[in-house]
Amino acid sequence: MFALAFTMQAQPPRGPFVRSPQVHGNKTVTFEYLAPNAEKVILSGQFLSGGPVEMTKGDQGIWRVTVGPIQPDIYPYNFIVDGTSVMDPGNVDYFPNERFKGSILLVPGDEPRMYELRNVPHGAVTYEYYPSLKGSTGSVVVYTPPGYDDSPDKSYPVFYLISGTTDTEETFYKVGRTNFILDNLIAEGLAEPMIVVMPYGNVAARIAEQKGDVKPEDPPRDSEASNLRMKQIENDLIKNIIPYIESNYRTIKDRESRAIAGFSRGGGQTLRIAYGNMDTFAWVCSYAASASPEDMDTDFVSVSSNPEQTNKMLKLNWVSVGNSDFLYRPVMDYMKYMDEHNIKFQGLITSGGHTWMNVKKFVTESAQLLFK
Amino acid sequence: MFALAFTMQAQPPRGPFVRSPQVHGNKTVTFEYLAPNAEKVILSGQFLSGGPVEMTKGDQGIWRVTVGPIQPDIYPYNFIVDGTSVMDPGNVDYFPNERFKGSILLVPGDEPRMYELRNVPHGAVTYEYYPSLKGSTGSVVVYTPPGYDDSPDKSYPVFYLISGTTDTEETFYKVGRTNFILDNLIAEGLAEPMIVVMPYGNVAARIAEQKGDVKPEDPPRDSEASNLRMKQIENDLIKNIIPYIESNYRTIKDRESRAIAGFSRGGGQTLRIAYGNMDTFAWVCSYAASASPEDMDTDFVSVSSNPEQTNKMLKLNWVSVGNSDFLYRPVMDYMKYMDEHNIKFQGLITSGGHTWMNVKKFVTESAQLLFK
């Protein structure tokens, strides 16, 4: 078997074999990083309530630290090597993002949590390429529920889910684990079988990349540019993505069968798109996002001035945020505004900040209310 | 728009906006990396024939370098920051891998190359979750050709494509761009419409991860462990993946409609699986991989001792390698062996080494021969 063993060897020539992360039965986690010449290696992760911790250099130049026990969840983390933030080379799970590169740690629950892989029927996740704005080709990630291919006569409602600033169309899948959340909710009968469509919120960047233009600064520095960007995602969703999905998937094509949600910027985009297209969406969720009283009084006056109509049209108006989120205050103001204007909404305030640990909670809770 | 603009802002608070990579019209490329406190930043990439180049620190702590013109292709690269190798934080295109983390640079051709996004009908890429060995759940990436969903009565041949050591089931998609290669070949009538199935070659690692066991060293240090691993991917493909694909996709279920190929370790796995399952596959391609004369004389004696039969059974026996690949010599020996034993094969020797630039060439050339 020599030759076959040989063809199995990777380049570059092997060093010591590093295992990272290693999650132990007691929910402590050991991290390893190979850096024979580094002077200081630090572990930085959203699971470290006490802040970053130093790692210790061991044999063969492998730096190690064991932390925890850690509360079961999925967390972004990095190593900081002599001041430079790096992903964990030993971990294949990554955080898709335009501006930073992070690794992902899963600490499983004693019973698998709702976002964990369970022994239930699994849906599929498909990367579709569709005609987008200005002759560009868009990429959108689509979850189809278990049994979709086995029931050719069944049509499904669609949940449009937009990620935040610097996130990509992959983030709700790779970090939010939306596919496993839906698999598990559906298996328990807690959510309706639905298609989930995850677009890319930064259309301008994709157009620039494909045309070879200089990538526009994001987020834009002035509100006019912000409005233009907002209009782009609205046009891409309404004119390109929804028609593409509804002609390529078995969907129910009425407003009661379309939901829209988003996180952070995606939540702002969600409110703009939903309030501006009440004929298209009946279910609206904003995760750590808000519209300002000024916007409600002006851009969304049709929504704010006629609460009876709004309450009749919206099957769900969901608002959620963590109480230490940097957007907690504007979200509170938004809820206060709707309260004062008799606009019905459902609010979920959790602990924690502007994190994907919270996003998973928001999706898990709000998805159970959709299309019922 | 203040509040909506505000909800659009990302955390952490914005620094200077870094654009990297920027590919210019003359095919020079500018790279930027933000590191106000770094002492030395180096660009390392497979497009740098002269080796790594130093970057220069500019205003706001942004390091820059412009290199090229660069030959159109897709290349892995990293920054080396005071000795630490990092991905390009400004680039969303990454190299999925178990052991290193790299970014991906596309330098487009004057006319889009066969692996580039063109204005042609696009297939879709689906992540499927299937029942794998020892109660684990496998993930496999599946390309379906343009029009697959529009022709419910049509069935397709299937090309199984296994990536190499430390690569994942995503590598042939994200780095090999197999979907765009097939889109373009099919659009030009150069390849038959086919389904491409991309499994994960390191089954043992996935089982260990899901069971919470210690991840086994890979590649294994002894040939016995190598044989066990080889048997695992063979069993997973033959007993789990092929039945799953053939019951969930519209496939033609005969050996003349199944092809198998792989790169590096995946090529070794391909030869082992193909020669051991001639009733399942009629089309075989090995990319930078080989079987040793010893293996051919012993494990594959049914193949080597009866060349007439072997030549009759194999519609294609493709062997390819770069002339500076560290596996060039054993691949030469393998071709010499087949030559001496009157086993028909088709060989493609290119320039270059054990790279994904070459893998894209091998896939582009061999895919045109399949199922014809």
Side-chain angles (χ1 to χ4, degrees), chain A residues 309-340:
Chain A
Q309 165 84 352
T310 300
N311 296 336
K312 194 160 134 291
M313 294 282 282
L314 291 184
K315 300 273 206 177
L316 176 67
N317 183 9
W318 167 282
V319 184
S320 49
V321 68
N323 62 15
S324 61
D325 193 310
F326 75 112
L327 295 173
Y328 176 73
R329 179 52 47 205
V331 173
M332 287 296 106
D333 295 343
Y334 173 51
M335 289 199 270
K336 181 161 169 291
Y337 178 96
M338 291 198 287
D339 206 33
E340 290 169 352

mmCIF file of all heavy atoms in Angstrom, chain A residues 309-340:
data_model
loop_
_atom_site.group_PDB
_atom_site.id
_atom_site.type_symbol
_atom_site.label_atom_id
_atom_site.label_comp_id
_atom_site.label_asym_id
_atom_site.label_seq_id
_atom_site.Cartn_x
_atom_site.Cartn_y
_atom_site.Cartn_z
ATOM 1 N N GLN A 309 -55.767 49.136 9.728
ATOM 2 C CA GLN A 309 -55.393 48.516 8.450
ATOM 3 C C GLN A 309 -54.079 47.730 8.593
ATOM 4 O O GLN A 309 -53.990 46.565 8.204
ATOM 5 C CB GLN A 309 -55.226 49.640 7.408
ATOM 6 C CG GLN A 309 -54.499 49.263 6.133
ATOM 7 C CD GLN A 309 -55.427 48.610 5.122
ATOM 8 O OE1 GLN A 309 -56.577 48.305 5.422
ATOM 9 N NE2 GLN A 309 -54.913 48.398 3.916
ATOM 10 N N THR A 310 -53.094 48.358 9.222
ATOM 11 C CA THR A 310 -51.793 47.704 9.405
ATOM 12 C C THR A 310 -51.942 46.417 10.208
ATOM 13 O O THR A 310 -51.422 45.367 9.818
ATOM 14 C CB THR A 310 -50.829 48.663 10.129
ATOM 15 O OG1 THR A 310 -50.664 49.838 9.337
ATOM 16 C CG2 THR A 310 -49.481 48.009 10.366
ATOM 17 N N ASN A 311 -52.685 46.514 11.321
ATOM 18 C CA ASN A 311 -52.858 45.333 12.177
ATOM 19 C C ASN A 311 -53.615 44.224 11.445
ATOM 20 O O ASN A 311 -53.401 43.040 11.701
ATOM 21 C CB ASN A 311 -53.599 45.718 13.460
ATOM 22 C CG ASN A 311 -52.775 46.690 14.304
ATOM 23 O OD1 ASN A 311 -51.554 46.729 14.189
ATOM 24 N ND2 ASN A 311 -53.456 47.493 15.098
ATOM 25 N N LYS A 312 -54.503 44.632 10.534
ATOM 26 C CA LYS A 312 -55.263 43.641 9.779
ATOM 27 C C LYS A 312 -54.359 42.964 8.743
ATOM 28 O O LYS A 312 -54.417 41.751 8.532
ATOM 29 C CB LYS A 312 -56.442 44.331 9.083
ATOM 30 C CG LYS A 312 -57.495 43.380 8.538
ATOM 31 C CD LYS A 312 -58.821 44.092 8.306
ATOM 32 C CE LYS A 312 -59.428 43.738 6.955
ATOM 33 N NZ LYS A 312 -58.670 44.289 5.812
ATOM 34 N N MET A 313 -53.476 43.767 8.155
ATOM 35 C CA MET A 313 -52.616 43.244 7.079
ATOM 36 C C MET A 313 -51.508 42.341 7.622
ATOM 37 O O MET A 313 -51.177 41.321 7.023
ATOM 38 C CB MET A 313 -51.978 44.403 6.308
ATOM 39 C CG MET A 313 -52.958 45.252 5.530
ATOM 40 S SD MET A 313 -53.466 44.473 3.977
ATOM 41 C CE MET A 313 -52.031 44.815 2.940
ATOM 42 N N LEU A 314 -50.914 42.720 8.761
ATOM 43 C CA LEU A 314 -49.745 42.000 9.269
ATOM 44 C C LEU A 314 -50.156 40.825 10.147
ATOM 45 O O LEU A 314 -50.665 41.022 11.256
ATOM 46 C CB LEU A 314 -48.823 42.937 10.045
ATOM 47 C CG LEU A 314 -48.080 43.993 9.228
ATOM 48 C CD1 LEU A 314 -47.136 44.790 10.120
ATOM 49 C CD2 LEU A 314 -47.316 43.351 8.067
ATOM 50 N N LYS A 315 -49.928 39.618 9.660
ATOM 51 C CA LYS A 315 -50.217 38.419 10.453
ATOM 52 C C LYS A 315 -49.239 38.316 11.617
ATOM 53 O O LYS A 315 -49.556 37.733 12.649
ATOM 54 C CB LYS A 315 -50.074 37.176 9.570
ATOM 55 C CG LYS A 315 -51.009 37.173 8.382
ATOM 56 C CD LYS A 315 -52.325 36.567 8.777
ATOM 57 C CE LYS A 315 -53.017 35.967 7.570
ATOM 58 N NZ LYS A 315 -54.283 35.318 7.997
ATOM 59 N N LEU A 316 -48.023 38.846 11.412
ATOM 60 C CA LEU A 316 -47.030 38.873 12.484
ATOM 61 C C LEU A 316 -46.140 40.089 12.304
ATOM 62 O O LEU A 316 -45.689 40.384 11.191
ATOM 63 C CB LEU A 316 -46.163 37.608 12.474
ATOM 64 C CG LEU A 316 -45.016 37.564 13.500
ATOM 65 C CD1 LEU A 316 -45.580 37.488 14.926
ATOM 66 C CD2 LEU A 316 -44.077 36.392 13.232
ATOM 67 N N ASN A 317 -45.946 40.820 13.383
ATOM 68 C CA ASN A 317 -45.024 41.948 13.412
ATOM 69 C C ASN A 317 -44.106 41.731 14.604
ATOM 70 O O ASN A 317 -44.422 42.127 15.724
ATOM 71 C CB ASN A 317 -45.795 43.264 13.519
ATOM 72 C CG ASN A 317 -44.877 44.478 13.486
ATOM 73 O OD1 ASN A 317 -43.685 44.365 13.216
ATOM 74 N ND2 ASN A 317 -45.445 45.640 13.777
ATOM 75 N N TRP A 318 -42.986 41.044 14.357
ATOM 76 C CA TRP A 318 -42.110 40.541 15.417
ATOM 77 C C TRP A 318 -40.896 41.450 15.556
ATOM 78 O O TRP A 318 -40.264 41.828 14.562
ATOM 79 C CB TRP A 318 -41.683 39.124 15.061
ATOM 80 C CG TRP A 318 -40.557 38.558 15.862
ATOM 81 C CD1 TRP A 318 -39.227 38.834 15.719
ATOM 82 C CD2 TRP A 318 -40.643 37.603 16.910
ATOM 83 N NE1 TRP A 318 -38.488 38.112 16.615
ATOM 84 C CE2 TRP A 318 -39.331 37.344 17.362
ATOM 85 C CE3 TRP A 318 -41.718 36.926 17.514
ATOM 86 C CZ2 TRP A 318 -39.064 36.438 18.381
ATOM 87 C CZ3 TRP A 318 -41.446 36.029 18.526
ATOM 88 C CH2 TRP A 318 -40.130 35.797 18.964
ATOM 89 N N VAL A 319 -40.587 41.824 16.794
ATOM 90 C CA VAL A 319 -39.419 42.651 17.069
ATOM 91 C C VAL A 319 -38.607 41.970 18.173
ATOM 92 O O VAL A 319 -39.172 41.596 19.206
ATOM 93 C CB VAL A 319 -39.822 44.059 17.543
ATOM 94 C CG1 VAL A 319 -38.599 44.935 17.739
ATOM 95 C CG2 VAL A 319 -40.789 44.704 16.549
ATOM 96 N N SER A 320 -37.318 41.768 17.951
ATOM 97 C CA SER A 320 -36.510 41.148 19.009
ATOM 98 C C SER A 320 -35.126 41.766 19.061
ATOM 99 O O SER A 320 -34.579 42.228 18.052
ATOM 100 C CB SER A 320 -36.410 39.635 18.778
ATOM 101 O OG SER A 320 -36.034 39.357 17.435
ATOM 102 N N VAL A 321 -34.550 41.790 20.274
ATOM 103 C CA VAL A 321 -33.227 42.378 20.482
ATOM 104 C C VAL A 321 -32.685 41.886 21.827
ATOM 105 O O VAL A 321 -33.466 41.516 22.715
ATOM 106 C CB VAL A 321 -33.297 43.931 20.450
ATOM 107 C CG1 VAL A 321 -34.071 44.463 21.663
ATOM 108 C CG2 VAL A 321 -31.899 44.554 20.349
ATOM 109 N N GLY A 322 -31.362 41.848 21.940
ATOM 110 C CA GLY A 322 -30.739 41.518 23.218
ATOM 111 C C GLY A 322 -30.616 42.776 24.076
ATOM 112 O O GLY A 322 -30.415 43.875 23.558
ATOM 113 N N ASN A 323 -30.733 42.609 25.408
ATOM 114 C CA ASN A 323 -30.756 43.802 26.262
ATOM 115 C C ASN A 323 -29.378 44.454 26.424
ATOM 116 O O ASN A 323 -29.262 45.527 26.998
ATOM 117 C CB ASN A 323 -31.394 43.501 27.622
ATOM 118 C CG ASN A 323 -30.607 42.446 28.398
ATOM 119 O OD1 ASN A 323 -29.466 42.133 28.062
ATOM 120 N ND2 ASN A 323 -31.243 41.896 29.419
ATOM 121 N N SER A 324 -28.321 43.809 25.910
ATOM 122 C CA SER A 324 -27.022 44.499 25.884
ATOM 123 C C SER A 324 -26.557 44.752 24.439
ATOM 124 O O SER A 324 -25.397 45.067 24.200
ATOM 125 C CB SER A 324 -25.981 43.690 26.660
ATOM 126 O OG SER A 324 -25.808 42.420 26.075
ATOM 127 N N ASP A 325 -27.512 44.650 23.486
ATOM 128 C CA ASP A 325 -27.215 44.962 22.084
ATOM 129 C C ASP A 325 -26.996 46.463 21.941
ATOM 130 O O ASP A 325 -27.701 47.258 22.568
ATOM 131 C CB ASP A 325 -28.401 44.518 21.214
ATOM 132 C CG ASP A 325 -28.078 44.502 19.732
ATOM 133 O OD1 ASP A 325 -27.539 45.515 19.232
ATOM 134 O OD2 ASP A 325 -28.372 43.479 19.082
ATOM 135 N N PHE A 326 -26.035 46.864 21.111
ATOM 136 C CA PHE A 326 -25.783 48.305 20.923
ATOM 137 C C PHE A 326 -26.955 48.976 20.217
ATOM 138 O O PHE A 326 -27.027 50.197 20.146
ATOM 139 C CB PHE A 326 -24.463 48.553 20.176
ATOM 140 C CG PHE A 326 -24.491 48.265 18.705
ATOM 141 C CD1 PHE A 326 -24.383 49.294 17.770
ATOM 142 C CD2 PHE A 326 -24.632 46.954 18.236
ATOM 143 C CE1 PHE A 326 -24.404 49.019 16.414
ATOM 144 C CE2 PHE A 326 -24.651 46.690 16.879
ATOM 145 C CZ PHE A 326 -24.531 47.724 15.955
ATOM 146 N N LEU A 327 -27.901 48.171 19.731
ATOM 147 C CA LEU A 327 -29.109 48.729 19.116
ATOM 148 C C LEU A 327 -30.336 48.588 20.026
ATOM 149 O O LEU A 327 -31.464 48.823 19.593
ATOM 150 C CB LEU A 327 -29.373 48.026 17.780
ATOM 151 C CG LEU A 327 -28.304 48.261 16.709
ATOM 152 C CD1 LEU A 327 -28.570 47.400 15.488
ATOM 153 C CD2 LEU A 327 -28.245 49.730 16.337
ATOM 154 N N TYR A 328 -30.099 48.227 21.279
ATOM 155 C CA TYR A 328 -31.215 48.007 22.208
ATOM 156 C C TYR A 328 -32.092 49.255 22.313
ATOM 157 O O TYR A 328 -33.319 49.189 22.183
ATOM 158 C CB TYR A 328 -30.674 47.628 23.581
ATOM 159 C CG TYR A 328 -31.731 47.457 24.649
ATOM 160 C CD1 TYR A 328 -32.575 46.343 24.657
ATOM 161 C CD2 TYR A 328 -31.891 48.406 25.661
ATOM 162 C CE1 TYR A 328 -33.542 46.183 25.633
ATOM 163 C CE2 TYR A 328 -32.858 48.242 26.646
ATOM 164 C CZ TYR A 328 -33.678 47.129 26.627
ATOM 165 O OH TYR A 328 -34.642 46.974 27.601
ATOM 166 N N ARG A 329 -31.460 50.417 22.472
ATOM 167 C CA ARG A 329 -32.213 51.642 22.678
ATOM 168 C C ARG A 329 -33.111 51.998 21.480
ATOM 169 O O ARG A 329 -34.321 52.166 21.650
ATOM 170 C CB ARG A 329 -31.238 52.792 23.028
ATOM 171 C CG ARG A 329 -31.874 54.164 23.263
ATOM 172 C CD ARG A 329 -33.004 54.141 24.265
ATOM 173 N NE ARG A 329 -32.707 53.408 25.484
ATOM 174 C CZ ARG A 329 -33.625 52.852 26.276
ATOM 175 N NH1 ARG A 329 -34.912 52.932 25.960
ATOM 176 N NH2 ARG A 329 -33.265 52.207 27.375
ATOM 177 N N PRO A 330 -32.574 52.099 20.259
ATOM 178 C CA PRO A 330 -33.467 52.401 19.129
ATOM 179 C C PRO A 330 -34.565 51.360 18.935
ATOM 180 O O PRO A 330 -35.680 51.707 18.522
ATOM 181 C CB PRO A 330 -32.525 52.453 17.916
ATOM 182 C CG PRO A 330 -31.207 51.950 18.372
ATOM 183 C CD PRO A 330 -31.146 52.102 19.850
ATOM 184 N N VAL A 331 -34.297 50.104 19.276
ATOM 185 C CA VAL A 331 -35.354 49.088 19.151
ATOM 186 C C VAL A 331 -36.449 49.358 20.189
ATOM 187 O O VAL A 331 -37.645 49.270 19.881
ATOM 188 C CB VAL A 331 -34.778 47.664 19.306
ATOM 189 C CG1 VAL A 331 -35.900 46.632 19.356
ATOM 190 C CG2 VAL A 331 -33.828 47.341 18.159
ATOM 191 N N MET A 332 -36.026 49.745 21.402
ATOM 192 C CA MET A 332 -37.010 50.121 22.425
ATOM 193 C C MET A 332 -37.870 51.293 21.935
ATOM 194 O O MET A 332 -39.093 51.300 22.080
ATOM 195 C CB MET A 332 -36.300 50.529 23.727
ATOM 196 C CG MET A 332 -35.693 49.382 24.505
ATOM 197 S SD MET A 332 -36.954 48.234 25.111
ATOM 198 C CE MET A 332 -36.637 46.901 23.954
ATOM 199 N N ASP A 333 -37.194 52.297 21.363
ATOM 200 C CA ASP A 333 -37.925 53.471 20.852
ATOM 201 C C ASP A 333 -38.934 53.057 19.782
ATOM 202 O O ASP A 333 -40.055 53.555 19.719
ATOM 203 C CB ASP A 333 -36.943 54.501 20.271
ATOM 204 C CG ASP A 333 -36.023 55.083 21.329
ATOM 205 O OD1 ASP A 333 -36.352 54.950 22.536
ATOM 206 O OD2 ASP A 333 -34.972 55.644 20.957
ATOM 207 N N TYR A 334 -38.510 52.129 18.936
ATOM 208 C CA TYR A 334 -39.380 51.637 17.856
ATOM 209 C C TYR A 334 -40.609 50.948 18.447
ATOM 210 O O TYR A 334 -41.757 51.224 18.052
ATOM 211 C CB TYR A 334 -38.572 50.689 16.968
ATOM 212 C CG TYR A 334 -39.342 49.970 15.898
ATOM 213 C CD1 TYR A 334 -40.170 50.647 15.003
ATOM 214 C CD2 TYR A 334 -39.230 48.575 15.751
ATOM 215 C CE1 TYR A 334 -40.858 49.978 14.004
ATOM 216 C CE2 TYR A 334 -39.910 47.900 14.754
ATOM 217 C CZ TYR A 334 -40.735 48.598 13.895
ATOM 218 O OH TYR A 334 -41.409 47.919 12.912
ATOM 219 N N MET A 335 -40.398 50.112 19.470
ATOM 220 C CA MET A 335 -41.526 49.415 20.097
ATOM 221 C C MET A 335 -42.440 50.433 20.794
ATOM 222 O O MET A 335 -43.663 50.339 20.702
ATOM 223 C CB MET A 335 -41.018 48.349 21.074
ATOM 224 C CG MET A 335 -40.377 47.169 20.381
ATOM 225 S SD MET A 335 -40.255 45.696 21.418
ATOM 226 C CE MET A 335 -38.672 45.970 22.163
ATOM 227 N N LYS A 336 -41.819 51.421 21.447
ATOM 228 C CA LYS A 336 -42.599 52.456 22.123
ATOM 229 C C LYS A 336 -43.457 53.209 21.109
ATOM 230 O O LYS A 336 -44.649 53.439 21.326
ATOM 231 C CB LYS A 336 -41.641 53.423 22.837
ATOM 232 C CG LYS A 336 -42.294 54.553 23.614
ATOM 233 C CD LYS A 336 -41.307 55.143 24.631
ATOM 234 C CE LYS A 336 -41.802 56.426 25.249
ATOM 235 N NZ LYS A 336 -41.845 57.557 24.283
ATOM 236 N N TYR A 337 -42.864 53.519 19.958
ATOM 237 C CA TYR A 337 -43.596 54.235 18.907
ATOM 238 C C TYR A 337 -44.812 53.406 18.462
ATOM 239 O O TYR A 337 -45.935 53.925 18.398
ATOM 240 C CB TYR A 337 -42.680 54.498 17.710
ATOM 241 C CG TYR A 337 -43.378 55.199 16.564
ATOM 242 C CD1 TYR A 337 -43.306 56.586 16.423
ATOM 243 C CD2 TYR A 337 -44.127 54.480 15.644
ATOM 244 C CE1 TYR A 337 -43.952 57.233 15.382
ATOM 245 C CE2 TYR A 337 -44.778 55.116 14.600
ATOM 246 C CZ TYR A 337 -44.692 56.496 14.475
ATOM 247 O OH TYR A 337 -45.348 57.130 13.447
ATOM 248 N N MET A 338 -44.576 52.115 18.206
ATOM 249 C CA MET A 338 -45.696 51.284 17.726
ATOM 250 C C MET A 338 -46.761 51.168 18.788
ATOM 251 O O MET A 338 -47.960 51.213 18.499
ATOM 252 C CB MET A 338 -45.174 49.909 17.292
ATOM 253 C CG MET A 338 -44.329 49.972 16.032
ATOM 254 S SD MET A 338 -44.135 48.381 15.234
ATOM 255 C CE MET A 338 -43.009 47.606 16.378
ATOM 256 N N ASP A 339 -46.333 51.068 20.041
ATOM 257 C CA ASP A 339 -47.276 51.000 21.150
ATOM 258 C C ASP A 339 -48.151 52.251 21.169
ATOM 259 O O ASP A 339 -49.378 52.174 21.207
ATOM 260 C CB ASP A 339 -46.484 50.871 22.459
ATOM 261 C CG ASP A 339 -47.305 50.182 23.540
ATOM 262 O OD1 ASP A 339 -48.116 49.307 23.187
ATOM 263 O OD2 ASP A 339 -47.124 50.531 24.715
ATOM 264 N N GLU A 340 -47.510 53.410 21.080
ATOM 265 C CA GLU A 340 -48.241 54.683 21.127
ATOM 266 C C GLU A 340 -49.169 54.856 19.931
ATOM 267 O O GLU A 340 -50.175 55.552 20.005
ATOM 268 C CB GLU A 340 -47.247 55.845 21.192
ATOM 269 C CG GLU A 340 -46.495 55.949 22.517
ATOM 270 C CD GLU A 340 -45.330 56.933 22.457
ATOM 271 O OE1 GLU A 340 -45.013 57.415 21.330
ATOM 272 O OE2 GLU A 340 -44.732 57.200 23.520
#
